[in-house]
Amino acid sequence: MKPRMNFFQAAPDTIKALTALEAQIQSSGLEQSLIELVKTRASQINGCAFCINMHTQDARKRGETEQRLYLLNAWRESPVYTDRERAALAWTEAVTLISETHAPDDVYNEVRAHFSESETVNLTMLIATINAWNRLAISFRSVPPVKVSAATAA
């Protein structure tokens, strides 16, 4: 796969605005581990290889375990996530798939049981932001930096 364009270079002021939103979310008080789980889960749903690669690496650097990353797309069946993380992951799926789910009341009520009003807004903005990054990366065919082994090169 070949990238279509470098959107950072093509529209730097627009990307600067999205980057500023990203910085705000990073300093919002949400746990860093939760931020990376949400970014990775939304990226899995959207099929964004570039962002999955980036956010699993970022999560590992911040101490996330391999097991929790491997089980993320089956989080409902796995006991390794807290109730707060589960609420955030359910909200991530509902907001990422908004045209299908319409953010159902039961999922909203569960997220509100674990997050304050401001945290709920920050979480929702986090989800919206990673969805924006996913759409940019997928649309313009951002290619994750990967090491090619002899087996995959053949």
Side-chain angles (χ1 to χ4, degrees), residues 34 37-38 40-42 44-45 67-97 106-107 110-111 114:
L34 181 73
L37 288 175
V38 165
T40 302
R41 184 65 192 123
Q44 288 174 333
I45 293 165
Q67 184 179 39
R68 282 169 43 97
L69 291 172
Y70 295 151
L71 294 172
L72 188 56
N73 67 347
W75 63 268
R76 284 179 178 84
E77 291 80 34
S78 175
V80 299
Y81 305 100
T82 67
D83 289 343
R84 180 173 164 94
E85 290 168 336
R86 290 174 177 284
L89 292 168
W91 190 240
T92 299
E93 291 179 359
V95 174
T96 298
L97 300 170
D106 62 326
V107 179
E110 186 63 23
V111 85
H114 297 280

Side-chain angles (χ1 to χ4, degrees), residues 26-143:
Q26 291 293 327
S27 66
S28 70
L30 292 174
E31 305 93 300
Q32 197 61 53
S33 60
L34 181 73
I35 289 172
E36 294 304 332
L37 288 175
V38 165
K39 287 180 176 184
T40 302
R41 184 65 192 123
S43 299
Q44 288 174 333
I45 293 165
N46 289 321
C48 184
F50 186 89
C51 293
I52 293 168
N53 184 66
M54 176 192 301
H55 295 298
T56 54
Q57 287 180 7
D58 289 348
R60 284 184 195 99
K61 288 177 192 171
R62 292 182 171 105
E64 189 57 76
T65 67
E66 294 292 317
Q67 184 179 39
R68 282 169 43 97
L69 291 172
Y70 295 151
L71 294 172
L72 188 56
N73 67 347
W75 63 268
R76 284 179 178 84
E77 291 80 34
S78 175
V80 299
Y81 305 100
T82 67
D83 289 343
R84 180 173 164 94
E85 290 168 336
R86 290 174 177 284
L89 292 168
W91 190 240
T92 299
E93 291 179 359
V95 174
T96 298
L97 300 170
I98 197 83
S99 69
E100 297 171 27
T101 70
H102 301 281
D105 289 340
D106 62 326
V107 179
Y108 174 77
N109 292 336
E110 186 63 23
V111 85
R112 288 293 290 120
H114 297 280
F115 291 83
S116 70
E117 283 187 349
S118 65
E119 288 176 323
T120 302
V121 171
N122 289 330
L123 175 62
T124 306
M125 289 304 296
L126 164 62
I127 298 163
T129 303
I130 189 56
N131 274 281
W133 286 119
N134 288 168
R135 280 149 179 75
L136 287 166
I138 293 167
S139 297
F140 298 120
R141 304 287 190 258
S142 297
V143 179

